[in-house]
Amino acid sequence: MAPLLRAIVFLCFASGAMSACTTKGKRRAWHTLSNAEKLEYINAELCLMQKPAKLSLPGCKTRFDELQAVHQLQAYATHFVGAFLPFHRLLMKAHEEALRSECGYTGYQPYWQEQLDAGKFSTSAIFDKTYGFGGDGSGRSNCITTGPFSNYSNHLGPGYQVTDHCIDRKISNQMSTGSAQREVDRCLQLDSFATAWPCIEGQPHTGGHGGVGGQMLNGVSSPGDPLFYLHHTWLDKIWADWQSRDQAKRVKDISGTNIQPDNMPGFPARPSNIPKPTGAAGDPGTTTTLGHVLDMKGNSPNKTITDVMDVAGEVLCIEYVDP
Ligand SMILES: *[C@@H]1O[C@H](CO)[C@@H](O)[C@H](O)[C@H]1NC(C)=O
Ligand SMILES: *[C@@H]1O[C@H](CO)[C@@H](O)[C@H](O)[C@H]1NC(C)=O
Ligand SMILES: [Cu+2]
């Protein structure tokens, strides 16, 4: 190639790469949103709950179900593995993108600053009936009966089942202590992904799932409660905060098995019709690598772990705003 042409080609590529993420979406804490912003988010979620399914995923009737299905279908390949944080990071993006492009939402995915509510979830403003996600479950089935999502019928779950049922909750203040600042700090001070990821996946991860209870405590069908997205976006912020402490090194730091161990505590057992994985697409062996493929089941394009390591990269293009 002639030198001039080569220079032009180089410049095009370089400027393309630099302009890839210019305006980062601001992901903010739920309690810092105005009431109007909260309602805009809630109404966009209700819109996804009304939009008909389009991807032919098993049991799905709505777009909300199809995002839940990404998690249900792959629960056994995405927990207790190195891809736990990257997979959920891309799922949060797929959800944010669906709200924006299909339901006219103009904001970005908010997160729940759970430290503020640790040990006292039952009093959290997140459960507000008007400007929140409705309250605790009640009755024999622990169905939620207040708030904007009280009429939604989940079509997937509990667990791997495909059945119609209410969104259920069973708030536990005791379990919500797992979301405390001290648990976050314990993980933030660790110096490798190999130690920080299992720390985050243990507590604070379990604090939010157990503190809300019901659907949220089901490791397979938990995205049936829309609070799932605010909880996992908070966990994603914790990972991003950890990465930012040594960004150059930690945007490349990935490790861990890609085969979920059987019988993990608190996690539904692998049904016999789901074969034990022997590896994962994009990984040469049984260790999670940057080339590992994250499968969004058609909700958004598949990406590799490399693509999602930097929240300010081309694929995510977001930033976390501290409360
Ligand atoms: C739920 O359905 C009932 C009966 O149709 C209706 O009165 C109520 O307003 C609905 N609630 C919500 C939050 O949509
Ligand atoms: C996404 O990745 C999975 C796993 O490698 C693959 O089976 C599937 O076909 C991919 N989907 C698309 C749309 O590329
Ligand atoms: Cu999960």
Side-chain angles (χ1 to χ4, degrees):
M1 213 187 288
L4 180 61
L5 187 57
R6 209 164 10 183
I8 290 170
V9 168
F10 173 76
L11 279 175
C12 290
F13 272 101
S15 63
M18 280 185 292
S19 65
C21 171
T22 45
T23 312
K24 289 175 244 172
K26 289 188 192 312
R27 289 190 178 169
R28 296 160 54 203
W30 180 259
H31 71 280
T32 68
L33 303 186
S34 68
N35 284 342
E37 288 168 333
K38 287 176 178 173
L39 288 182
E40 195 202 351
Y41 180 83
I42 288 166
N43 287 330
E45 193 77 283
L46 288 169
C47 158
L48 282 187
M49 290 176 168
Q50 276 149 22
K51 281 221 167 226
K54 61 180 187 190
L55 301 170
S56 306
L57 298 172
C60 295
K61 298 206 167 105
T62 71
R63 291 288 298 123
F64 181 81
D65 298 342
E66 287 178 325
L67 287 153
Q68 184 187 7
V70 179
H71 194 271
Q72 188 198 37
L73 293 170
Q74 301 179 96
Y76 202 80
T78 56
H79 298 85
F80 308 100
V81 293
F84 169 74
L85 289 168
F87 167 80
H88 287 83
R89 175 170 279 181
L90 188 58
L91 182 54
M92 295 307 108
K93 181 67 181 179
H95 177 255
E96 176 180 73
E97 201 47 44
L99 292 175
R100 287 172 58 80
S101 66
E102 299 174 52
C103 287
Y105 179 55
T106 61
Y108 292 87
Q109 178 64 52
Y111 64 91
W112 175 10
Q113 180 78 359
E114 290 177 28
Q115 301 91 320
L116 299 174
D117 298 323
K120 46 179 183 173
F121 267 20
S122 60
T123 62
S124 172
I126 206 129
F127 296 110
D128 193 272
K129 296 185 187 73
T130 311
Y131 299 110
F133 293 77
D136 201 0
S138 61
R140 263 190 64 218
S141 310
N142 295 309
C143 293
I144 61 169
T145 55
T146 59
F149 305 110
S150 55
N151 284 351
Y152 191 66
S153 177
N154 279 147
H155 305 110
L156 304 185
Y160 293 99
Q161 296 176 66
V162 174
T163 56
D164 285 358
H165 57 99
C166 67
I167 298 174
D168 58 324
R169 288 188 190 137
K170 199 173 179 188
I171 295 175
S172 162
N173 287 333
Q174 200 272 324
M175 286 195 77
S176 79
T177 56
S179 297
Q181 185 65 47
R182 67 175 174 278
E183 304 290 350
V184 176
D185 291 342
R186 196 170 49 84
C187 300
L188 286 178
Q189 71 198 15
L190 298 172
D191 63 8
S192 69
F193 184 82
T195 51
W197 138 58
C199 180
I200 295 170
E201 186 169 3
Q203 298 290 21
H205 176 223
T206 310
H209 283 288
V212 176
Q215 198 66 212
M216 269 284 275
L217 191 48
N218 193 301
V220 175
S221 57
S222 47
D225 186 329
L227 274 174
F228 173 86
Y229 294 101
L230 282 88
H231 171 54
H232 263 279
T233 302
W234 174 62
L235 297 171
D236 191 58
K237 177 179 188 292
I238 295 169
W239 181 29
D241 287 348
W242 176 83
Q243 288 182 303
S244 74
R245 293 182 170 207
D246 190 352
Q247 187 73 7
K249 182 163 158 243
R250 294 182 182 178
V251 290
K252 297 195 176 86
D253 190 5
I254 192 79
S255 57
T257 180
N258 59 22
I259 299 178
Q260 180 170 336
D262 274 314
N263 307 320
M264 294 309 286
F267 196 87
R270 177 171 54 87
S272 53
N273 63 330
I274 297 184
K276 190 173 174 71
T278 53
D283 291 331
T286 55
T287 298
T288 309
T289 66
L290 290 170
H292 181 107
V293 176
L294 303 168
D295 183 358
M296 288 294 113
K297 301 287 176 194
N299 281 276
S300 67
N302 285 355
K303 296 290 171 191
T304 64
I305 288 183
T306 298
D307 296 328
V308 302
M309 287 300 277
D310 183 0
V311 290
E314 192 183 340
V315 170
L316 275 296
C317 198
I318 58 100
E319 64 186 323
Y320 283 108
V321 180
D322 281 320

